[in-house]
Amino acid sequence: MTTAPGPVPNSRGVRRRKDILDGARAVFAEVGFRGATMAAIAARAEVTHAGLLYHFATKEDVLEAVLADGSERGRSIVEAGREGADHLEALEQLVALNASDPGWSRLFSVLLGESVSPGHPLRDRMAERYDGISASLAAHLRSLRTEGGAWSDDDLDGLARVLLAVMDGLQFQQLTGARSHMTDDFGLLVEAVRRSL
């Protein structure tokens, strides 16, 4: 038995959905998820409230679509482990990508800061993201460790978390306008880690 194909989106609908996601990204980056309203998202996207509701029933649905649209960023690090690639290089590429896209960095930083509140819809997702990327990165660091190296498995678990913390911290510094050279500064840490392994 075959299932009937779903409706084929027309170009106007695809364009309208993109406008909504662009508007939602901007609103979430400015006021966070909790501060955003469907009315503000519709206004930023230049659609009617009914037009927004045609594409997304709830603010949570809009957030899910925004996050799905940008989900490839973190996934590249996890995928690197499955493909035998260099996680540290993937992290450096992610830092460079984030440095070149302050809009995305601001969105992620605002949502991350907001997600520490109990009951926030992204709290569990952010924790899973950090746990998954840290575990994958720690496994990669173990594979780079030289015979008789000084780093224990627990040390490498911690080092993986520190790498992510520095990455996010440099991103926050750059967003505040501090004299941060995010890509170069993170590269120094990666080189120090490689030498220590």
Side-chain angles (χ1 to χ4, degrees), residues 71-183:
S71 67
E72 291 303 310
R73 289 173 181 265
R75 184 174 294 136
S76 65
I77 299 163
V78 175
E79 292 299 318
R82 294 189 186 121
E83 298 168 9
D86 187 337
H87 280 59
L88 293 173
E89 185 177 311
L91 273 179
E92 286 185 287
Q93 291 170 355
L94 179 59
V95 168
L97 180 63
N98 289 347
S100 71
D101 188 354
W104 174 260
S105 295
R106 187 173 298 107
L107 170 67
F108 175 79
S109 296
V110 168
L111 293 175
L112 175 61
E114 194 178 55
S115 74
V116 302
S117 299
H120 191 279
L122 290 181
R123 185 178 175 91
D124 292 341
R125 177 181 284 187
M126 289 294 192
E128 289 169 10
R129 175 190 174 275
Y130 279 113
D131 289 345
I133 293 172
S134 292
S136 182
L137 180 56
H140 179 68
L141 293 172
R142 285 184 191 89
S143 75
L144 296 177
R145 180 175 44 192
T146 59
E147 188 71 31
W151 294 93
S152 71
D153 284 353
D154 287 343
D155 291 341
L156 293 176
D157 290 340
L159 181 57
R161 290 188 296 274
V162 167
L163 281 162
L164 294 179
V166 169
M167 182 177 73
D168 288 346
L170 288 170
Q171 184 167 282
F172 273 109
Q173 288 180 40
Q174 181 171 337
L175 289 170
T176 65
R179 282 186 264 172
S180 169
H181 303 285
M182 194 168 145
T183 305

Side-chain angles (χ1 to χ4, degrees), residues 1-5:
M1 181 167 123
T2 61
T3 57

